[in-house]
Coordinates of all heavy atoms in Angstrom, one line a residue:
M166 N -6.8 22.1 4.2 CA -6.6 20.8 3.3 C -5.7 19.8 4.1 O -4.7 20.1 4.5 CB -6.0 21.2 2.0 CG -6.7 22.3 1.2 SD -8.2 21.6 0.5 CE -7.5 20.8 -1.0
L167 N -6.2 18.6 4.2 CA -5.5 17.6 5.0 C -4.1 17.4 4.6 O -3.2 17.3 5.4 CB -6.2 16.3 4.9 CG -7.6 16.3 5.7 CD1 -8.2 14.9 5.4 CD2 -7.5 16.6 7.1
L168 N -3.8 17.3 3.3 CA -2.5 16.9 2.8 C -1.8 18.1 2.1 O -0.9 17.7 1.3 CB -2.6 15.7 1.9 CG -3.1 14.4 2.6 CD1 -3.3 13.3 1.6 CD2 -2.4 14.0 3.8
R171 N 1.9 18.1 1.1 CA 2.4 16.8 1.6 C 3.2 16.1 0.4 O 3.8 15.0 0.6 CB 1.3 15.8 2.1 CG 0.7 16.4 3.3 CD 1.7 16.4 4.4 NE 1.1 17.0 5.6 CZ 1.7 17.1 6.8 NH1 2.9 16.6 7.0 NH2 1.1 17.7 7.9
T183 N 5.0 9.4 19.0 CA 3.7 8.8 18.7 C 2.6 9.8 18.6 O 1.5 9.6 18.1 CB 3.4 7.8 19.8 OG1 3.3 8.4 21.1 CG2 4.4 6.6 19.8
H184 N 2.9 11.0 19.1 CA 1.8 12.0 19.0 C 2.1 13.2 18.0 O 1.4 14.0 17.9 CB 1.8 12.8 20.4 CG 1.4 11.9 21.5 ND1 0.0 11.6 21.8 CD2 2.0 11.1 22.4 CE1 -0.1 10.8 22.8 NE2 1.1 10.4 23.2
A185 N 3.2 12.9 17.2 CA 3.5 13.9 16.2 C 2.8 13.6 14.9 O 3.3 12.8 14.1 CB 5.0 13.9 15.9
T186 N 1.7 14.2 14.7 CA 0.9 13.9 13.5 C 0.6 15.1 12.6 O -0.1 15.0 11.7 CB -0.6 13.3 13.9 OG1 -1.2 14.3 14.7 CG2 -0.4 12.0 14.7
G187 N 1.2 16.2 13.0 CA 1.1 17.4 12.1 C -0.2 18.1 12.3 O -0.5 19.0 11.5
G188 N -0.9 17.9 13.3 CA -2.1 18.7 13.5 C -2.8 18.3 14.9 O -2.4 17.2 15.4
P189 N -3.8 19.1 15.2 CA -4.5 18.7 16.5 C -5.3 17.4 16.3 O -5.8 17.1 15.3 CB -5.4 19.9 16.7 CG -5.6 20.4 15.3 CD -4.4 20.2 14.6
L190 N -5.4 16.7 17.5 CA -6.1 15.4 17.4 C -7.1 15.5 18.5 O -7.1 16.2 19.5 CB -5.2 14.3 17.6 CG -4.2 13.9 16.5 CD1 -3.2 12.9 16.9 CD2 -4.9 13.5 15.3
M191 N -8.2 14.5 18.4 CA -9.0 14.4 19.5 C -8.4 13.9 20.7 O -7.4 13.2 20.7 CB -10.2 13.5 19.0 CG -11.0 13.9 17.8 SD -12.2 12.7 17.3 CE -13.2 12.6 18.8
E192 N -8.9 14.2 21.9 CA -8.4 13.6 23.1 C -8.6 12.2 23.0 O -9.6 11.5 22.8 CB -9.3 14.2 24.3 CG -8.7 13.8 25.6 CD -9.5 14.3 26.8 OE1 -10.3 15.2 26.5 OE2 -9.3 13.9 28.0
A193 N -7.4 11.5 23.4 CA -7.3 10.1 23.3 C -8.2 9.4 24.3 O -8.5 9.8 25.4 CB -5.9 9.6 23.6
Y415 N 5.2 7.6 7.3 CA 4.4 8.7 6.8 C 4.4 8.7 5.3 O 5.4 8.2 4.6 CB 5.1 10.0 7.3 CG 4.6 10.5 8.6 CD1 5.3 10.2 9.8 CD2 3.4 11.1 8.7 CE1 4.9 10.6 11.0 CE2 2.9 11.4 10.0 CZ 3.5 11.3 11.1 OH 3.1 11.7 12.3
A418 N 0.7 7.2 8.0 CA 0.5 7.1 9.4 C -0.4 8.2 9.9 O -1.1 7.9 11.0 CB 1.9 7.1 10.1
M419 N -0.5 9.3 9.2 CA -1.4 10.4 9.7 C -2.7 10.3 9.2 O -3.6 11.0 9.6 CB -0.8 11.7 9.4 CG -0.9 12.1 7.9 SD 0.0 13.7 7.7 CE -0.4 13.9 5.9
F420 N -3.0 9.4 8.1 CA -4.4 9.4 7.5 C -5.5 9.2 8.5 O -6.5 9.9 8.6 CB -4.4 8.5 6.4 CG -3.6 8.8 5.2 CD1 -3.3 7.8 4.2 CD2 -3.0 10.0 5.1 CE1 -2.5 8.1 3.1 CE2 -2.1 10.3 4.0 CZ -1.9 9.4 3.0
G421 N -5.4 8.1 9.3 CA -6.4 7.7 10.2 C -6.6 8.7 11.3 O -7.8 9.3 11.6
P422 N -5.5 9.2 12.0 CA -5.7 10.2 13.0 C -6.3 11.5 12.5 O -7.0 12.2 13.3 CB -4.2 10.4 13.5 CG -3.6 9.0 13.4 CD -4.2 8.6 12.0
R423 N -5.9 11.9 11.3 CA -6.4 13.1 10.8 C -8.0 13.1 10.6 O -8.7 13.9 10.8 CB -5.8 13.4 9.3 CG -4.4 14.0 9.4 CD -4.5 15.5 9.8 NE -3.1 16.1 9.7 CZ -3.0 17.4 9.9 NH1 -4.0 18.2 10.2 NH2 -1.7 17.9 9.8
V424 N -8.4 11.8 10.0 CA -9.9 11.7 10.0 C -10.5 11.7 11.3 O -11.6 12.3 11.5 CB -10.2 10.3 9.2 CG1 -11.7 10.0 9.2 CG2 -9.7 10.3 7.8
A425 N -9.9 11.0 12.3 CA -10.5 11.0 13.6 C -10.5 12.4 14.2 O -11.5 12.6 15.1 CB -9.5 10.1 14.6
S426 N -9.6 13.2 13.8 CA -9.6 14.6 14.5 C -10.8 15.4 14.1 O -11.1 16.4 14.7 CB -8.3 15.4 14.0 OG -8.4 15.7 12.6
R427 N -11.5 15.1 13.0 CA -12.7 15.8 12.7 C -14.0 15.0 13.2 O -15.1 15.3 12.7 CB -12.8 16.1 11.3 CG -12.8 14.9 10.3 CD -12.8 15.5 8.8 NE -12.7 14.5 7.9 CZ -13.9 13.9 7.3 NH1 -15.0 14.4 7.7 NH2 -13.8 12.9 6.4
G428 N -13.8 14.1 14.1 CA -15.0 13.5 14.7 C -15.5 12.2 13.9 O -16.6 11.8 14.3
I429 N -14.8 11.8 12.9 CA -15.3 10.6 12.1 C -14.8 9.3 12.8 O -13.7 9.2 13.1 CB -14.7 10.8 10.6 CG1 -15.2 12.0 10.0 CG2 -15.2 9.6 9.8 CD1 -16.8 12.1 9.9
V431 N -13.1 6.0 13.2 CA -12.0 5.2 12.6 C -11.9 3.9 13.4 O -11.8 3.8 14.6 CB -10.7 6.0 12.8 CG1 -9.5 5.3 12.1 CG2 -10.8 7.4 12.1
K441 N -0.9 4.6 16.9 CA -2.1 5.5 16.6 C -3.4 4.9 17.3 O -4.4 5.5 17.2 CB -2.2 5.7 15.2 CG -1.1 6.5 14.5 CD -1.0 7.9 15.1 CE 0.0 8.7 14.4 NZ 1.4 8.3 14.5
E443 N -4.6 4.6 20.1 CA -5.5 5.4 21.1 C -6.3 6.5 20.5 O -7.2 6.9 21.2 CB -4.4 6.0 22.1 CG -3.5 7.0 21.5 CD -2.4 7.5 22.5 OE1 -2.8 8.1 23.5 OE2 -1.2 7.4 22.2
Y444 N -6.0 6.9 19.3 CA -6.8 7.9 18.7 C -8.1 7.4 18.0 O -8.9 8.2 17.5 CB -5.9 8.6 17.6 CG -4.8 9.3 18.3 CD1 -3.5 9.1 17.8 CD2 -4.9 10.3 19.3 CE1 -2.4 9.6 18.4 CE2 -3.8 10.9 19.8 CZ -2.5 10.6 19.4 OH -1.5 11.2 20.0
F445 N -8.2 6.1 17.8 CA -9.3 5.5 17.1 C -10.5 5.1 17.9 O -10.4 4.9 19.1 CB -8.8 4.3 16.3 CG -7.6 4.6 15.3 CD1 -6.7 3.7 15.1 CD2 -7.5 5.9 14.7 CE1 -5.6 4.0 14.2 CE2 -6.5 6.2 13.9 CZ -5.5 5.2 13.6

Side-chain angles (χ1 to χ4, degrees):
M166 302 289 279
L167 292 178
L168 301 177
R171 294 293 175 175
T183 58
H184 295 277
T186 60
L190 292 170
M191 297 176 63
E192 185 177 348
Y415 273 100
M419 75 181 184
F420 293 167
R423 284 285 190 171
V424 172
S426 73
R427 62 185 182 89
I429 299 301
V431 179
K441 296 297 188 292
E443 62 183 304
Y444 298 121
F445 300 149

